[in-house]
């Protein structure tokens, strides 16, 4: 794919795209470098409330860089683990890298990943179809607002058990770090719920395309970048990065 963008094919919404197979939360524990961290997430076995700050049972030790309304809930494709384990001959287990949600595709659709989810996508976790709409007043709705930036804690987390250096840099280069949600509607969430894509206002804005633009050494015509800057929900630091990619003069 070029460093510009490609449009997703038109789809009819709402669409049942996946099932939620696991919900995870973590407790702040002693970590490396004499720090605390809740990067290791364990499965939750009962429904959990979700508000604007995320899962009420989930913790973040470093609230400056993790958590908050624009990083309320983290989802990571299981393929990330498969890629890491294949590349480095490891056995890193799912849940090690801080994700709250794990989904599984349905009806022959592709797994949710950075190539097919978009900034601005709104997903509903739970509810049922009825009269061409999705019912479920207590169902959580989440909006993708930014990719996750891999940090040194991924290195420290995996490095506790391996001698592999700087896996975070490799994950970043691959653009496979998952994404953060802002909570659109509070509710409760649990494993085995259906996942519906209910809104896709920016079908061009895949996380894959954003990652390529943000990390490119090239400059781009304004017409390539400006549509991204017009995405209201895109987290501000990403807009700053993209704005610097516009050709001047």
């Amino acid at each position: 794919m070029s460093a510009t963008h490609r449009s997703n094919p038109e789809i009819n919404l709402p669409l049942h795209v996946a099932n939620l197979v696991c919900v995870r939360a973590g407790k702040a524990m002693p970590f490396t470098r004499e720090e605390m961290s809740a990067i290791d997430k364990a499965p939750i076995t009962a429904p959990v409330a979700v508000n604007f700050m995320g899962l009420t049972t989930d913790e973040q030790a470093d609230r400056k860089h993790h958590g908050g309304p624009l990083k309320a809930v983290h989802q990571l494709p299981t393929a990330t683990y498969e890629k890491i384990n294949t590349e480095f001959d490891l056995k890193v287990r799912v849940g090690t890298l801080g994700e709250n949600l794990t989904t599984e595709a349905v009806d022959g659709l592709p797994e949710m990943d950075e190539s097919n989810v978009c900034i601005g996508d709104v997903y509903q976790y739970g509810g049922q179809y009825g009269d061409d709409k999705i019912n479920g007043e207590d169902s959580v709705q989440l909006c993708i607002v930014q990719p996750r930036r891999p940090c040194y804690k991924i290195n420290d987390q995996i490095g506790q058990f391996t001698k592999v250096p700087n896996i975070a840099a490799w994950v970043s280069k691959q653009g496979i770090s998952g994404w953060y949600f802002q909570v659109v509607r509070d509710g409760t969430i649990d494993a085995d719920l259906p996942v519906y894509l209910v809104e896709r206002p920016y079908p061009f804005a895949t996380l894959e395309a954003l990652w390529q633009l943000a990390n490119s050494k090239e400059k781009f015509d304004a017409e390539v970048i400006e549509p991204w800057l017009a995405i209201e929900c895109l987290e501000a630091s990403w807009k700053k990065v993209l704005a610097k990619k516009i050709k001047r003069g």
Side-chain angles (χ1 to χ4, degrees), residues 8 10 21 30-31 34 38 59 71 84 113 117 122 124 133-134 136-137 160-161 202 206 240 242:
N8 278 3
E10 291 296 324
V21 295
F31 194 55
E34 299 183 353
E59 294 183 0
K71 296 180 179 178
I84 289 173
D113 66 20
V117 303
V122 176
Q124 178 169 312
K133 64 180 180 179
I134 299 172
E137 293 182 358
Q160 293 182 84
F161 316 106
Y202 309 106
T206 66
K240 290 180 181 178
L242 292 176

Side-chain angles (χ1 to χ4, degrees), residues 80-93:
T80 298
Y81 290 95
E82 296 164 10
K83 291 171 183 176
I84 289 173
N85 290 336
T86 298
E87 178 71 17
F88 298 102
D89 192 24
L90 299 176
K91 295 182 179 179
V92 182
R93 60 176 173 77

Side-chain angles (χ1 to χ4, degrees), residues 124 126-131 133-137 139 185 196:
Q124 178 169 312
Q128 294 181 330
Y129 273 119
D131 299 324
K133 64 180 180 179
I134 299 172
N135 301 310
E137 293 182 358
S139 299
R185 187 172 74 195
Y196 302 100

Side-chain angles (χ1 to χ4, degrees), residues 57-243:
T57 57
D58 194 33
E59 294 183 0
Q60 296 85 31
D62 178 6
R63 297 307 293 268
K64 180 179 179 181
H65 298 102
H66 300 283
L70 299 182
K71 296 180 179 178
V73 180
H74 178 221
Q75 184 165 331
L76 183 71
T78 56
T80 298
Y81 290 95
E82 296 164 10
K83 291 171 183 176
I84 289 173
N85 290 336
T86 298
E87 178 71 17
F88 298 102
D89 192 24
L90 299 176
K91 295 182 179 179
V92 182
R93 60 176 173 77
V94 175
T96 301
L97 300 181
E99 71 272 19
N100 301 116
L101 307 181
T102 301
T103 59
E104 186 176 76
V106 297
D107 299 330
L109 294 171
E111 298 289 348
M112 293 174 67
D113 66 20
E114 294 82 0
S115 71
N116 58 43
V117 303
C118 301
I119 298 295
D121 280 1
V122 176
Y123 292 88
Q124 178 169 312
Y125 293 75
Q128 294 181 330
Y129 273 119
D131 299 324
D132 295 324
K133 64 180 180 179
I134 299 172
N135 301 310
E137 293 182 358
D138 197 38
S139 299
V140 174
Q141 287 191 351
L142 307 174
C143 177
I144 297 178
V145 293
Q146 61 179 316
R148 178 191 184 177
R149 289 185 174 97
C151 70
Y152 72 88
K153 287 190 176 180
I154 288 179
N155 294 333
D156 288 359
Q157 171 74 327
I158 298 177
Q160 293 182 84
F161 316 106
T162 76
K163 301 298 182 182
V164 178
N166 210 356
I167 287 179
W170 182 85
V171 170
S172 182
K173 185 176 181 180
Q174 303 297 314
I176 54 172
S177 57
W179 52 90
Y180 285 116
F181 290 109
Q182 182 176 20
V183 178
V184 175
R185 187 172 74 195
D186 295 1
T188 58
I189 202 165
D190 195 8
D192 300 321
L193 293 176
V195 181
Y196 302 100
L197 174 60
V198 296
E199 294 181 27
R200 173 160 285 171
Y202 309 106
F204 70 88
T206 66
L207 271 69
E208 180 182 64
L210 173 56
W211 202 261
Q212 289 188 2
L213 284 171
N215 290 280
S216 175
K217 296 180 180 179
E218 299 177 40
K219 298 285 188 178
F220 300 93
D221 293 335
E223 64 184 15
V224 173
I225 301 298
E226 286 176 351
W228 293 89
L229 303 183
I231 299 176
E232 184 175 353
C233 65
L234 177 59
E235 192 270 337
S237 68
W238 289 91
K239 290 186 178 183
K240 290 180 181 178
V241 170
L242 292 176

